[in-house]
Structures are given as C-alpha cells and as structure tokens.
Amino acid sequence: MKNRIRTLIAAASLALLAGCASTGENTEETAQDATAQQGVAGQPGQEAYSYPYGQAPSGYDTYDTSGGGLAAAGGPAGGRAGQAVSADRIVYFEYDSAEIRPDSQGIIEANARALNGNRRTVTQLEGHTDERGSREYNVALGERRANSVRQAMIAMGVSPQQIRIVSYGEERPAAAGQDEQSYALNRRVEIIY
Amino acid sequence: MKSFVKILGALMLLLGVGSLAHAELTIDVSKGIEGRGIPIAIAPFGGGAPENIAGIVASDLQRTGKFAPQPAGAQADYSVTGQAGPGGSRGYLVQFQLAGAQGGQLLNLSFDVPPNQLRPVAHRISDLIYEKLTGEKGLAGTRIAFVTAGGGGWFLVVADADGQNPQVILRSSQPIMSPAWSPDGSRLAYVSFEGRRPQIVVQEVSSGARRVVSAAPGINGAPSWAPNGQRLAFTLSKDGNPEIYALDLGSQSPVRLTSGGAIDTEPVWLPDGSVVFTSDRGGSPQLYRIGPGGGAAQRLTFEGDYNASPAVSPDGRYIAMVHRRGGRFHIAVLDMKNRQFRVLTPGGLDESPSFAPNGKMIIYSNGQRLNAISVDGSVKQDFVLRGSVRDPVWAPYSR
C-alpha cells in the first residue's frame, strides 16, 4: 500500500513536472525578444554603453531519465527500484576504509558460493560511502570498496565476467541520519543479483 | 509518511519552478551578512512597473555585504532614485540615478525593456552601482547551478544568484552530480547515473540539447572545462582505478594524464592549462598539480590529512577545497601566490566549493543547504532552499 501511494505521488509529480516544462513560454519569449539597452549619453557624470541581454536562459526543456535515458539501461540491477537489499547481501566498512572486515567474510563467501553455483549469474557490486567529505572522492572510495569485495569473490573462485561494479559514492544513502549509526549503515557494498 | 513529506517538498519547489516563477517562492536568500556596509539610501521606483526594482536593488546590494541599504531620505553616503513604468519601444522604461552625499551625480542611465526583463534590469542596476562604488564586478546578474534531491528524484537546477527564477534543466530518477559550467556559460557538463551507470553529459542550457561525452566502464566523474572551453578533464576508472583524463571535445578518445594505483580524481584547470586534482597517492587525499599533458605531479597541500574537491578562482590565484580538521569538514583556501592556507568556514559537512566569476565569493554546500562566503571570510550568505541541495556551481560571466 505504501508503495502504491508512493507511485501515485510520483506519477502526480511527473504530471506536474510535465506541466512545468510546458510553462516555458515565458523563457522562450525571452530568447526571441532580444533586448537592447541604451545609456543616456552626452551629459557629464553619465555613462553610455550597450550590452546584449543574451545571457537570459531560454527554453528550458527538461528530460525525464526514468525510462532509462540515453544509454541502454540493462545491467543486472536494471529493474531494481531502490528496494532495500537483504542484510545477507550487504558488506559494511569502517570509516575511510575499503578493507573487508572479518565479520563480512561469511556474507561474501555465501554469495560467492551462489555465483559459483551458477556461472551465468552476473552480480552488480554497488559501492557506497557515508556523506562526509568530497562527493567525487567518495565515488572513488565507493568503487574501491566494491573492488575489495570483487577481489575477495574472485579469490573464492567467482569469474571476473560475473562481476560488474558501480559506485554511487554518497548519492544513495541507506539511512538518512547524520549520526555514526546511519553513517555505518551507509558505508557499504550491496551485492545485487 | 516521511517520503510523502519529502515529495511534497520537491513538488513545492517544482511548482515554484513552473507557474509561480514570479510569485513568492519556497526559495529565498536570507541576509545572513556579517559586518557593516556603506549606507546607501534607495527610494522606491515610481511609475507602476510590476517588479519592485528598488527592493531587488536593495537586497542585491545588501547581499554583497559591502552596503547597508537605507530607506529614502535616510542619512547615507550614496542615494539611488529611479522610475520604472510603461514606455519605450519594448514596453517599459527604467531609469535610475546614483548620487553621492553632496548630490553629485555618479550614474544616470535608462533601459528600454520588455516586462520579462525588469528583474534582470534590476540586477544590472545593482551591478552597475556596485562596480561604480567598489571597482569590482558585481554578481547580482549572475546565475548558479545546483542539484537538489527529494522524493526519489534528482533535479539539476539553474537559478539567478539570488536563488530566484529557478529552472529545472534535468530531472532524473537516478543521481545527478558534479555540474560544471563551460567558460562561456552556455553549457553544463555533469554526471548522470541514468541507466544505473555513471556517464558524463554535456547539455546546452538554453536549448536543452544533450550529448554523452563519456560512458566508459567504471567511474565517469568530476567533469571540468579547460579555460578555452575546448577540452574537458574528468575521471575514468576503466583501466582499474580512478585516473584523470582530458578529452578534446572535437575528438572521441580521452587522453590519460595520471597513472598509478592510487585514486586520482576531481581535476580542475588553472588558467595556464595545468591541472589540479585530488589524489591519495601519499596515503591521504591531497591536492596535486600536473602540466597540461600530465607528467610529474607536484603536491600542493600539506595541512592535515584530507584536502579534496579543488576549485580554482578565475584568476588562478586561489584554490578552494574541502579540508578535514578535527573530524569536521571545512572550506579552506590556498593562496597560490604566497602558499598561505586559510580555513574559511566553521565546518561540519561543508563540501563542493565553487568560485563566483569575480573571484570574491565561494559558494558551497554544508550537506543540506547552500552557503557562500567571501574569500577573505568577511561576508557570508545563506541560501535557504527547501529540500536537500548540493553541488552548487557559480556560472561565469556571459560573453
């Protein structure tokens, strides 16, 4: 039920967005209506000059990328719409670290066994960080975490062809709080397949 | 219920973007200015134009932190008077005068504009006054871009520097991050996770035309325009770990500028074509500099164990960055002239610094909202926008 309400609201918001996109007439007029400016010249203490108003943005078309966007969507996680991943497919990390913790070995092993059991299964390892620090550096850190899990899985016999990696950095937190408990839940690699 | 509230917040923001663009918005800029400014009396503009020109000029000047706008007739060092009413060949005639305390006229200008240019003209008047009295170029007529998220959506927004007139130029059900203005202000490069994988997109702001410039396996991140607007630097990890690449926009294949097993990311260009970036090759993230074609890297930062997300001032003199100290993240600035390092913000979750085109202000995110601070630390601005707002970038002056 909760999901349904969410979908309805999302649909309503998209409809409204479409409405917003079409209210771009104002800005389009701006573009067509090139404006000139004249200084009042000739008297002392005055300035005379002109400049174009070309800087006014115009015609903001907006794009909805929810349909998969420009590139082919695909990928093993293509259909996942942000549902929570079960705890046995999440590997957690210490702050500023991409080292596999001893308590994560079991989770990685269980998933490696599943992947070894079916060579056609492809997993996507999604790296995440907490929100602290630079966003792009966090993308790199999230990838490093995903690579740690990848290396561990390969060491357990999983074929590199079965593993894909994407890092979202801090962009998709699992917990919204700004406290150590939430941060710990966000420093993770999700094993999606 | 929580997500419902979030979505409503996003909706209100977007409604503001659409039909209510000129009404009271859910977006506004508080006047969180420290310090006293030069008193300047601003009289209401008579004439009946549908924008409060004097009010816009007063809030623009107040926001600079250098002026203290006063009502008409108050004792002040300068005074502004004007008229804005129907007339001229385009619909409205706007005139204003700037005078010194002794009554000496400093500016006397008129503008012939259509109704939808009354707001830009007000900003232009603010900038003319600011430039006349301070000798610096103003920022009232500039724009910012930022990313906002809520209700499972991500939105790339371009707005005036006062937060008004926001326009969504991209909405996505997947993350959008790291917008970067082309040097002429006509295009934005950014990272989009549409299709659930990162790619670097260049979008023309006026037409909305988009082009994917990189969709390599792995990270496609941190785009940055070369000063000539012909090249983009960005981060790819297709060869195993994040490295800096430069792409000539006329060609298809990016050239790699860094190598090694460390994280190299967040490239930004100095005016001379060299590139500053973040690397953890020394064990912690620090800023380094390489030549236009790569080569040996020179380490730039030595304060503390976390310096990342560099931004270069338009003249190349300052590099702003995210600096960690005592577990808190601050915006700090390195003076390239004398290598002086200064922490500018009290800190917390500060990130994503970006210089204003006059080089005097730095806009950044504190994790939830946008703030701006002057490079000398004396002026602070607080942008109050609903929802989570991040990744601000100040647009350059238009051609």
Side-chain angles (χ1 to χ4, degrees):
Chain A
M1 187 55 197
K2 201 172 162 195
N3 273 338
R4 192 137 141 234
I5 290 172
R6 206 177 279 187
T7 311
L8 278 173
I9 294 168
S13 67
L14 283 177
L16 277 162
L17 281 166
C20 291
S22 66
T23 55
E25 294 108 31
N26 285 339
T27 46
E28 275 156 27
E29 275 170 27
T30 308
Q32 289 151 11
D33 211 338
T35 307
Q37 170 203 330
Q38 289 94 35
V40 179
Q43 292 167 41
Q46 295 179 347
E47 292 181 351
Y49 62 93
S50 70
Y51 70 95
Y53 261 121
Q55 68 259 45
S58 61
Y60 285 96
D61 287 326
T62 60
Y63 295 82
D64 184 353
T65 65
S66 57
L70 308 170
R80 194 173 65 98
Q83 298 99 328
V85 175
S86 68
D88 55 4
R89 293 193 179 180
I90 304 179
V91 179
Y92 293 103
F93 292 82
E94 297 300 317
Y95 183 44
D96 256 356
S97 168
E99 238 171 83
I100 305 286
R101 300 193 318 215
D103 61 347
S104 296
Q105 286 291 340
I107 286 171
I108 297 173
E109 274 167 24
N111 285 285
R113 264 198 306 278
L115 291 165
N116 286 334
N118 187 346
R119 288 286 170 198
R120 277 178 303 187
T121 302
V122 173
T123 183
Q124 178 147 302
L125 304 180
E126 296 188 356
H128 301 269
T129 68
D130 68 36
E131 67 175 315
R132 291 174 285 180
S134 150
R135 302 188 90 88
E136 282 284 357
Y137 188 76
N138 280 342
V139 169
L141 191 54
E143 186 184 71
R144 188 178 269 172
R145 285 175 178 157
N147 272 323
S148 293
V149 176
R150 178 179 184 269
Q151 290 307 328
M153 285 182 159
I154 289 171
M156 295 167 189
V158 178
S159 158
Q161 273 74 46
Q162 287 178 276
I163 304 173
R164 294 186 196 167
I165 278 177
V166 65
S167 173
Y168 286 102
E170 64 180 275
E171 308 301 318
R172 284 186 167 282
Q178 298 191 325
D179 48 68
E180 185 43 51
Q181 199 179 355
S182 299
Y183 292 160
L185 289 171
N186 291 336
R187 295 190 299 265
R188 71 202 192 276
V189 169
E190 297 184 357
I191 304 167
I192 314 287
Y193 60 96
Chain B
M1 194 54 202
K2 200 168 167 195
S3 62
F4 181 74
V5 172
K6 263 191 210 159
I7 291 165
L8 268 186
L11 274 181
M12 288 169 79
L13 168 68
L14 291 159
L15 281 171
V17 166
S19 51
L20 305 176
H22 291 282
E24 279 296 310
L25 298 174
T26 55
I27 292 173
D28 90 309
V29 180
S30 80
K31 298 166 183 74
I33 303 292
E34 288 188 352
R36 287 171 315 197
I38 303 164
I40 182 166
I42 303 174
F45 281 33
E51 287 278 6
N52 178 4
I53 308 268
I56 296 167
V57 170
S59 85
D60 283 347
L61 290 176
Q62 166 121 36
R63 203 155 12 90
T64 67
K66 305 221 162 151
F67 292 93
Q70 310 289 327
Q75 255 209 335
D77 296 3
Y78 300 97
S79 65
V80 177
T81 53
Q83 288 277 318
S89 61
R90 297 175 178 278
Y92 284 91
L93 203 57
V94 181
Q95 300 168 285
F96 85 98
Q97 297 81 36
L98 170 69
Q102 318 304 327
Q105 199 167 75
L106 301 169
L107 289 173
N108 180 8
L109 291 162
S110 75
F111 308 82
D112 182 0
V113 295
N116 62 8
Q117 291 296 337
L118 287 167
R119 228 189 140 77
V121 154
H123 291 319
R124 183 66 192 154
I125 290 170
S126 307
D127 282 339
L128 287 165
I129 294 167
Y130 182 83
E131 191 168 348
K132 184 76 185 176
L133 299 182
T134 68
E136 294 168 5
K137 286 192 82 174
L139 297 169
T142 59
R143 291 177 295 161
I144 54 173
F146 53 86
V147 175
T148 178
W154 282 260
F155 308 90
L156 177 57
V157 180
V158 173
D160 294 347
D162 59 359
Q164 298 292 312
N165 196 26
Q167 310 277 349
V168 175
I169 71 159
L170 181 77
R171 62 170 181 266
S172 180
S173 59
Q174 302 296 328
I176 301 167
M177 59 187 293
S178 304
W181 289 98
S182 64
D184 66 359
S186 69
R187 288 174 288 174
L188 279 167
Y190 53 84
V191 176
S192 171
F193 282 77
E194 58 201 74
R196 302 192 67 87
R197 49 186 291 230
Q199 50 212 294
I200 295 168
V201 179
V202 169
Q203 179 166 337
E204 201 176 301
V205 174
S206 59
S207 72
R210 288 170 20 118
R211 181 159 81 96
V212 175
V213 298
S214 181
I219 293 172
N220 295 262
S224 165
W225 297 81
N228 67 7
Q230 306 294 308
R231 296 175 91 198
L232 266 187
F234 45 73
T235 305
L236 301 179
S237 64
K238 64 188 175 75
D239 296 330
N241 66 297
E243 304 285 2
I244 310 294
Y245 288 75
L247 173 71
D248 191 323
L249 284 169
S251 87
Q252 298 296 320
S253 40
V255 177
R256 197 163 114 180
L257 301 184
T258 58
S259 58
I263 290 172
D264 293 330
T265 188
E266 301 178 326
V268 286
W269 304 76
L270 286 165
D272 67 1
S274 61
V275 173
V276 173
F277 62 101
T278 308
S279 176
D280 73 344
R281 61 186 63 191
S284 68
Q286 299 290 345
L287 303 187
Y288 292 79
R289 178 185 188 170
I290 47 172
Q298 170 203 6
R299 183 168 164 176
L300 296 178
T301 53
F302 298 91
E303 301 261 340
D305 63 355
Y306 192 109
N307 293 297
S309 192
V312 177
S313 65
D315 62 3
R317 172 156 177 193
Y318 296 100
I319 295 175
M321 70 199 78
V322 173
H323 168 70
R324 185 174 65 194
R325 168 172 298 202
R328 295 166 71 81
F329 290 86
H330 309 255
I331 304 301
V333 72
L334 175 68
D335 186 336
M336 294 292 279
K337 215 169 178 178
N338 55 21
R339 297 292 158 137
Q340 194 186 45
F341 183 93
R342 276 179 301 128
V343 177
L344 289 184
T345 63
L349 294 169
D350 299 344
E351 62 184 19
S352 308
S354 166
F355 278 91
N358 68 359
K360 302 295 179 190
M361 299 289 294
I362 296 167
I363 193 168
Y364 64 98
S365 161
N366 68 5
Q368 284 295 314
R369 326 209 302 210
L370 307 186
N371 293 272
I373 189 162
S374 59
V375 175
D376 64 9
S378 66
V379 179
K380 290 173 185 151
Q381 299 174 357
D382 187 8
F383 294 67
V384 182
L385 291 94
R386 228 167 260 233
S388 164
V389 187
R390 70 290 290 266
D391 266 343
V393 267
W394 217 310
Y397 288 119
S398 301
R399 310 126 300 219

